[in-house]
Amino acid sequence: MTAAAPAPFTAADYAARMARATEAASDAGLDGVLVAPGPDLVWLTGYRPVETERLTLLVLRAGRDPALVVPTLEAPDAAKSAGAPALTLHDWTDGTDPYTAAAPLVGPAGRFGISDNGWALHLLGLMERLPGTRYTALSDALPMLRAVKDAAELDRLAAAGAAADAAFEEIRRVAFAGRRESEVAADLAGLLRRFGHEQVDFTIVASGPNGADPHHEADDRVIRQGDTVVLDFGGLKDGYGSDTSRTVHVGEPDDEERAVHDVVRAAQEAGFAAVRPGAACQDVDRAARAVVDDAGYGAYFIHRTGHGIGVTTHEPPYMVEGETRPLVPGMCFSVEPGIYLPGRFGVRIEDIVTVTEDGGRRLNNTSREMVIVG
Ligand code: ZN
Ligand code: ZN
Ligand code: ZN
């Protein structure tokens, strides 16, 4: 059972986002923003082109209409995207120089924020064609551009979180012992789709010693009685991301497994409790890490505490030491401490959290106790 899809974003919504980006660029002392295919382009225009070596570039410049440079063969698709009525399309044909097509829209000179992803090939092409232009990473220049979500975006993120939670409530009831990690991962992917995800980004099933590798996906290892199993899964539902982790145990855990799980749970709680407007991103990391450090497992918490989420499942802001930017209501990110004991097992607990006016709100709400599976 899935709720009705939310009303799609309109050309007016995308026009407002592009206007906001252009204004934010001006405020930051930039002449404009250049956006390659990827999450920034999806967020600004609703256009999700296939990523190829051909130049596609959104050009936002104060005082000019938003312009999208596209290969001629992609122009019909681009014209169908929800934001297309709010921009002008400039196509270029194979055999002509795309940078010559883009140059008058970008130049003749200026300083631009450029989306983090995109091909070096294209940036170098522009630099050669427009020697008077300079570029800076969009996520450095305009870190708040996509980080602070509006109400419609928060609704989508909450629905994606609820769908991932529903998937967990089902997966905890399937058989683990005697099955391969890859089989449980396939179950998880099917459940995410069943609960409304159109895209599955990852289904980590990391059992026993595999759990000690935070990046372990799922392999042929047969899960056994006594295994601790890290589950970490997510994807996109109605264009917005889910990402949650729970650590389950096949049968009754031993004392150390239970103790490590308790530490991670307390760390996750402490990280969540540190979420409030005005706190720094690094405060969330520090709060979670202090719990793990105090328990003596600091050396085994080997990654940052969290990452932003929106039209992608991993994006700024990062909850990491050194990230001093403040939390702002509407930001959404993971709080996901873990402990990884090489050759033995791992534990991670992850919720997506949004910053509210006076604290934080979890978008994942399944039990954070160590769930026993069969
Ligand atoms: Zn065990
Ligand atoms: Zn995750
Ligand atoms: Zn995550």
Side-chain angles (χ1 to χ4, degrees), residues 41-355:
L41 188 66
V42 168
W43 185 79
L44 286 162
T45 68
Y47 181 40
R48 195 187 291 270
V50 287
E51 296 188 27
T52 76
E53 71 288 357
R54 292 187 173 96
L55 176 72
T56 295
L57 188 71
L58 174 68
V59 182
L60 301 177
R61 261 204 93 141
R64 297 185 195 172
D65 287 337
L68 184 67
V69 181
V70 282
T72 301
L73 78 167
E74 303 290 350
D77 261 0
K80 280 186 230 153
S81 64
L87 33 82
T88 55
L89 295 184
H90 299 260
D91 66 314
W92 62 274
T93 309
D94 283 357
T96 66
D97 180 49
Y99 312 110
T100 301
L105 302 167
V106 177
R111 200 163 80 86
F112 295 90
I114 187 158
S115 53
D116 291 7
N117 64 314
W119 293 39
L121 173 74
H122 299 319
L123 179 56
L124 293 168
L126 283 173
M127 290 170 81
E128 197 186 325
R129 197 66 57 185
L130 296 165
T133 52
R134 284 185 300 139
Y135 306 91
T136 183
L138 200 58
S139 63
D140 287 335
L142 306 177
M144 299 300 176
L145 192 55
R146 287 196 289 117
V148 179
K149 273 66 182 180
D150 66 22
E153 294 183 289
L154 287 175
D155 284 350
R156 282 167 166 76
L157 285 159
D165 285 357
F168 178 72
E169 293 300 346
E170 296 281 323
I171 204 73
R172 62 183 283 187
R173 288 175 173 82
V174 309
F176 278 68
R179 295 175 74 216
R180 296 182 191 283
E181 290 178 350
S182 53
E183 295 175 85
V184 177
D187 285 354
L188 261 176
L191 287 166
L192 285 171
R193 290 189 193 281
R194 194 174 113 205
F195 290 110
H197 283 63
E198 69 272 11
Q199 180 177 312
V200 175
D201 285 359
F202 45 87
T203 51
I204 294 176
V205 178
S207 63
N210 286 345
D213 170 10
H215 278 158
H216 179 82
E217 277 266 341
D219 64 20
D220 285 343
R221 185 177 186 277
V222 175
I223 301 168
R224 288 178 228 149
Q225 192 68 27
D227 279 351
T228 297
V229 187
V230 179
L231 305 172
D232 184 348
F233 49 96
L236 298 184
K237 179 182 186 300
D238 296 316
Y240 280 76
S242 69
D243 183 6
T244 185
S245 305
R246 291 292 184 265
T247 301
V248 301
H249 194 272
V250 188
E252 281 301 316
D254 67 25
D255 287 348
E256 190 186 14
E257 289 163 338
R258 197 176 278 290
V260 170
H261 193 276
D262 283 348
V263 172
V264 175
R265 200 174 126 219
Q268 208 275 346
E269 194 62 52
F272 172 68
V275 175
R276 62 176 180 284
C281 292
Q282 69 180 6
D283 294 341
V284 177
D285 184 78
R286 286 178 178 180
R289 200 167 300 278
V291 172
V292 178
D293 284 346
D294 288 350
Y297 288 100
Y300 305 102
F301 178 12
I302 51 179
H303 56 70
R304 67 194 173 204
T305 293
H307 56 82
I309 188 166
V311 296
T312 69
T313 44
H314 280 84
E315 62 186 42
Y318 299 105
M319 304 301 119
V320 65
E321 181 66 32
E323 178 52 274
T324 57
R325 288 187 282 222
L327 299 180
V328 173
M331 278 184 174
C332 265
F333 49 83
S334 67
V335 178
E336 52 175 306
I339 292 176
Y340 307 92
L341 302 177
R344 303 183 57 212
F345 67 95
V347 174
R348 180 164 64 259
I349 301 174
E350 171 179 27
D351 291 327
I352 300 303
V353 170
T354 185
V355 185

